[in-house]
Amino acid sequence: TEADRLPQDPVERAQSALAQGEIAIMGADAERAVEILLRGAHEIAGAHPSIALDLLVAAAANVNACRCADVDGIARSADALTCRAGDPAAVAFVGSSMRLARRGLTDGDRIEVFAPAEPLAQLPARHIWIGLTAGHPAGGLRLAESLAFLGRAAAECRDHGWAGRLAVVLLALAYTELQAGRFAAAAADAAEALELSRDDGRALGIHAATAILAMLAAVQGQTDECRRLAADAMPRSHTDARWFHHALSLWARGALALGAGDPETALEHLAQIRPDGRVEQPWITPLAVLDYVEAAVWAGRTRDAHTAAAKLRRWAQAADPPWGMAASAHCAAVTAEDPERAEEAFRTALRHHESLERVFLRARTRLLYGELLRRGRRRVEAREQLRLALRDFEALGARPWIERGRRELRASGLIVGDREPHARDLLTPQELQIARYVARGGTNKEVAAQLFLSPRTVSAHLRSIFRKIGVVTRTELARIDFEGDPATAAARPDASG
């Protein structure tokens, strides 16, 4: 604001607009952010199209996270820069973001994202914003690519002491880890993003991190915690209701009810974020359709389930995200009335999963396929699918799904013992974050610098960590998987022993 009162050349005014726009985004003031960024882009476009594109990309990322503002204006501005900006990837990102915001899941579209290879400090502002959308469910990147870029970006933020930027990167990283089934890492990163956002009053970061933690609590069956967090993440105004954290909090409540065996309550929340729903959201709706379809079938609303499954299928064919056909085949199996068709669709889904990293979705496909086989009295085949599903659910700590898997295995005639709690389950989010860094070989001083804590605080937490999980040396700590990577579990014997 003070800079705006001083004489500025066009480049300085554009840089000021970008800063103010980003501040408005972090304050969850979407309309103001887009107004500032779009005005700044118009003023600088003639002389410096590349700088104008920086502002348009930030505006597009904002609109994609909050269904709001001047979608057509942003698209027209990007089209005008196509020949002069010299960055076709960024222009494609803006155009695809606006199509997605305008049309929604029903019409089918994808967002053109990429994971930059350069260090964060060397990237133009537009590439940083595009990189932060690497885990967008409508993007064409595989999760491994997204996680690699976001992990490097977080490490660079820590090395440079960029606490504010780190909070934003951790949000993107945690949501991507959530999709990959790396629940422990997602919880630790979201909790850290929440603390960093609270430190400097970033409203968007606070709500987004809280919503991610609510979703994690939902899939892990933490009923009271999920409800509390989802309520905290819910909107305070009409404008807030369009942000992705509102849709995510609704998904969390729906997923909690679905896991608890209450499809009617699940539908109350999930119906709002289904395709063409009141709060359809590009970051959330594609992923939540599967839960909606399962809840609708379970509640006897087969027509609604078929409609949503058909929309997901059309979108998956048009947008072609790597995971889309697996989810579409899963929904086709759930809605199939003929057992043979259902089995064929389940097998198709599992074939797609062979090249994917979405462990929770794969485990749920195996669970339902195992249930189908058991009902068909094919107990030996059912046990194979159910054991693999249970192994993944236990690695994820997805308690409602663990119990369902055990019930199905018992119904198939197999006795399954209880799993001992993992060391990760015993730690608070901050303790888990510290344990992750110590297990990688960091000293107390190094870990303190990475997490913006004092060495004394790290030392106190480390004593608590050692006591809780029953180890006495850092060497023992390094042997424990604190990342929650399901691939580690896949290397172990299956859950039945």
Side-chain angles (χ1 to χ4, degrees), residues 30-362:
E31 278 87 354
R32 182 168 181 270
V34 173
E35 178 187 352
I36 292 170
L37 293 166
L38 195 52
R39 184 175 64 247
H42 287 159
E43 290 178 357
I44 196 70
H48 297 279
S50 181
I51 297 176
L53 194 55
D54 285 344
L55 278 74
L56 289 177
V57 166
N62 175 67
V63 170
N64 201 260
C66 179
R67 301 289 293 277
C68 69
D70 191 356
V71 174
D72 292 328
I74 297 171
R76 285 194 301 270
S77 298
D79 289 341
L81 291 173
T82 300
C83 298
R84 297 185 293 120
D87 193 339
V91 172
F93 170 80
V94 176
S96 62
S97 296
M98 294 308 94
R99 287 194 301 274
L100 200 63
R102 185 189 299 111
R103 297 167 64 185
L105 186 72
T106 302
D107 300 304
D109 215 332
R110 69 185 295 170
I111 184 171
E112 298 295 335
V113 301
F114 63 95
E118 302 85 357
L120 212 61
Q122 299 175 11
L123 294 174
R126 59 186 176 277
H127 286 190
I128 294 173
W129 276 106
I130 295 173
L132 291 175
T133 64
H136 197 294
L141 292 179
R142 296 197 175 271
L143 289 178
E145 298 173 276
S146 303
L147 289 168
F149 166 71
L150 294 168
R152 291 198 314 271
E156 187 175 354
C157 288
R158 296 186 193 281
D159 291 343
H160 289 280
W162 297 334
R165 181 173 286 176
L166 175 62
V168 181
V169 173
L170 287 175
L171 288 172
L173 180 59
Y175 191 61
T176 308
E177 289 167 335
L178 171 65
Q179 295 177 60
R182 298 182 60 184
F183 292 166
D189 288 331
E192 187 180 359
L194 177 59
E195 290 305 310
L196 291 169
S197 298
R198 282 173 173 164
D199 286 346
D200 58 8
R202 293 171 179 251
L204 181 58
I206 293 170
H207 292 316
T210 302
I212 293 171
L213 291 170
M215 188 64 197
L216 288 164
V219 296
Q220 294 177 320
Q222 300 169 2
T223 303
D224 292 341
E225 183 74 352
C226 174
R227 289 173 177 166
R228 179 186 69 79
L229 291 166
D232 288 345
M234 289 295 278
R236 272 54 176 178
S237 69
H238 173 70
T239 301
D240 287 344
R242 291 175 291 185
W243 281 102
F244 83 98
H245 55 78
H246 178 207
L248 182 53
S249 63
L250 288 169
W251 185 17
R253 289 182 169 186
L256 179 71
L258 183 64
D262 184 357
E264 293 289 351
T265 299
L267 285 175
E268 291 178 14
H269 303 294
L270 296 173
Q272 298 182 61
I273 56 175
R274 74 178 191 272
D276 290 332
R278 183 179 66 85
V279 197
E280 180 183 354
Q281 219 291 327
W283 279 90
I284 308 300
T285 296
L287 299 172
V289 171
L290 185 143
D291 283 6
Y292 175 79
V293 169
E294 286 192 16
V297 168
W298 202 352
R301 302 185 189 180
T302 54
R303 179 179 296 179
D304 292 339
H306 278 285
T307 299
K311 289 177 179 178
L312 179 64
R313 182 181 66 253
R314 290 196 298 271
W315 173 78
Q317 291 170 342
D320 193 31
W323 64 276
M325 296 309 297
S328 177
H330 178 110
C331 289
V334 171
T335 55
E337 298 178 3
D338 176 42
E340 290 186 2
R341 288 191 175 183
E343 180 175 2
E344 181 182 356
F346 277 131
R347 288 185 175 276
T348 298
L350 290 174
R351 281 198 300 273
H352 285 295
H353 274 298
E354 290 175 0
S355 61
L356 298 175
E357 307 96 349
R358 296 175 185 265
V359 179
F360 186 49
L361 177 55
R362 182 187 67 197

Side-chain angles (χ1 to χ4, degrees), residues 415-483:
I415 298 175
V416 184
D418 291 339
R419 178 184 73 100
E420 290 293 324
H422 193 280
R424 295 188 304 268
D425 304 334
L426 306 175
L427 305 180
T428 67
Q430 189 168 65
E431 288 172 342
L432 178 58
Q433 197 75 310
I434 290 170
R436 293 170 72 195
Y437 279 94
V438 172
R440 295 171 190 170
T443 65
N444 286 11
K445 186 176 181 179
E446 291 168 340
V447 174
Q450 291 284 301
L451 300 179
F452 305 106
L453 301 171
S454 71
R456 180 176 295 180
T457 299
V458 171
S459 179
H461 279 301
L462 200 54
R463 288 194 295 272
S464 174
I465 292 166
F466 278 27
R467 175 179 52 79
K468 284 183 177 181
I469 63 179
V471 300
V472 294
T473 68
R474 290 172 180 259
T475 302
E476 291 178 276
L477 199 70
R479 298 192 186 109
I480 299 173
D481 170 29
F482 290 108
E483 301 297 328

